[in-house]
Each structure stands twice: as C-alpha cells, then as structure tokens.
Amino acid sequence: MIRVLLADDQALMRAGFRALLELADDIVVVGEAGNGVEAVELTRRLLPDVTLLDVRMPLLDGIQATRRIGEDPELDEVRVVILTNYALDEYVFAALRAGASGFLLKDIEPAELLQSVRVAAWGDALLSPSVTRRLIEEYVSTPPRPVAGPGLERLTEREREVLSLVAAGMSNEEIATHLVISHATVKTHVSRTMSKLGARDRAQLVVFAYESGHVVPGAGR
C-alpha cells in the first residue's frame, strides 16, 4: 500500500483529494494536515510514502515545509509533491529546489492523480511532464547565472545525455524510445546519475541540469 499524507488549509479540498485517492486499492490516506507545521509534524510521526502539500498554508507554507522534510535524514524515503494552480507557477521551482519530487495541478483528473501518486512513490518520473516542460521554459527565460556543477565531470557521455532528456521532462519510457535502449537501462542510467550528483530524485536532477548550465535555455528550439 502507498501511504499518503494530505496537507491543505481547505478542508473541502482535502476531502476531495481523499475521496479520489480512496478509489484506489493500493493507496491509503494515513493523515491530514491543515497547516505547514502540522504537515511536517505528521510526516515525521506517520512516515508516509508521499506527502501532498499545498503551496499556500498558514504558519508554514508548502515550500518551507518541503525544505524541513527534505533536511530531515529520517525522512529520506518520503516523497513530497506540491499541490498548485496555474497562478502559482512561480512557486514550483522554489519547491523543487527545496526537495519536492514534483507537483500536481489541483484540477487534475482522478485517474491522473492516482497514477501520479504511484509514480511519486516509485520515484520513477517527474510528475506531469507536459506541464513540467512549460514551467521549465518559463523559469529558464530568466535563469540565474550558471554555477559549476559538482559531480558533472564524473558523468559518462550517455549519463549526460540522459540528464538532458530528464531535464526536458521526459519519462523513462520516452527516454528509452528516444535513445532506442531498454527501460531497465534508462533506470540504471538515471539511478547512477542521481548517485553521482547527490540528487535524491529526478526533480533535483532537473534543477541541477539548468542551474549548472548543463542544459542551456532555449537550445535546440
């Protein structure tokens, strides 16, 4: 069973997400939080597989809560997913930097919600690739100055190529098709790349790719 914690200051929103999640036989909602402080405390106490965090919450916002969860070594196995609206796009990269594994739009379709929670728990792919690409494009239109990426020199040529495709928002299956290699081989490359770069998941690989200058904004368009 995939254990999920819901954190949103709107009780009606939490009830809606709980109802959708409980449609699945392999997902269980283990707790609910109405603010960021409570979300962090419950994450520490309940150790869910996935914590769904709203961006705007009282006492502690979703980004700060994500950072606290990410900094706790006892919560390394918890995957944080940010709940957002299109109007809150500017928060997404801040959340990814803070350690979020991805994000969901609040108007997500039920089937996509269930699959996204599963994907987050598996750590197999960044959520909502098509939306991720759009957010990345907006973010990199005014990127910070690239900084030297520690560990980048340790990547093989293939691993650098895979890193670029991960940063483009591709799933493992899409990368496998693009490179004409097996899905298992892609997972191995992604895993080794994360290990060499000290990234806990694919979301951090995306941030690293852009902030290190490995992927150049607008290149290839």
Side-chain angles (χ1 to χ4, degrees):
M1 295 291 289
I2 298 174
R3 305 171 74 253
V4 176
L5 174 70
L6 292 172
D8 194 300
D9 62 332
Q10 298 181 40
L12 185 60
M13 185 65 68
R14 294 199 308 272
F17 272 94
R18 174 185 279 273
L20 292 176
L21 291 169
E22 290 181 343
L23 292 174
D25 295 332
D26 59 338
I27 297 174
V28 59
V29 177
V30 296
E32 296 183 21
N35 61 67
V37 171
E38 187 180 15
V40 175
E41 292 176 349
L42 285 178
T43 297
R44 288 171 175 160
R45 186 194 314 164
L46 300 175
L47 297 177
D49 298 302
V50 179
T51 292
L52 295 178
L53 287 175
D54 185 24
V55 171
R56 291 183 174 178
M57 292 187 292
L59 301 184
L60 195 71
D61 65 35
I63 295 173
Q64 292 175 306
T66 298
R67 186 172 292 110
R68 291 191 185 183
I69 293 171
E71 291 174 348
D72 190 333
E74 294 185 1
L75 302 179
D76 283 347
E77 299 303 315
V78 177
R79 292 293 175 259
V80 175
V81 177
I82 296 295
L83 296 170
T84 183
N85 294 307
Y86 280 108
L88 299 178
D89 285 351
E90 67 270 19
Y91 291 101
V92 173
F93 254 80
L96 295 180
R97 280 197 210 91
S101 295
F103 62 94
L104 292 176
L105 300 178
K106 287 190 175 182
D107 61 355
I108 190 171
E109 293 294 326
E112 187 179 356
L113 169 66
L114 298 179
Q115 184 59 20
S116 295
V117 168
R118 295 184 183 107
V119 168
W122 300 332
D124 187 47
L126 189 64
L127 304 182
S128 304
S130 61
V131 180
T132 299
R133 294 187 189 105
R134 185 176 66 81
L135 293 171
I136 288 172
E137 289 174 358
E138 291 183 3
Y139 170 78
V140 301
S141 63
T142 55
R145 172 182 290 183
V147 294
L152 189 60
E153 72 283 351
R154 296 201 297 271
L155 299 183
T156 65
E157 182 176 350
R158 176 64 88 185
E159 288 166 350
R160 287 172 182 252
E161 189 173 11
V162 168
L163 176 61
S164 297
L165 297 176
V166 169
M170 286 191 180
S171 67
N172 282 359
E173 291 184 0
E174 290 172 327
I175 293 174
T177 299
H178 182 81
L179 297 179
V180 195
I181 57 179
S182 71
H183 182 269
T185 299
V186 173
K187 290 186 68 173
T188 297
H189 285 314
V190 171
S191 178
R192 288 177 179 172
T193 301
M194 287 193 295
S195 177
K196 290 180 180 180
L197 298 180
R200 64 180 288 174
D201 54 36
R202 296 169 69 98
Q204 290 191 353
L205 286 184
V206 173
V207 175
F208 177 91
Y210 282 100
E211 294 193 334
S212 68
H214 174 69
V215 173
V216 178
R221 292 190 213 168

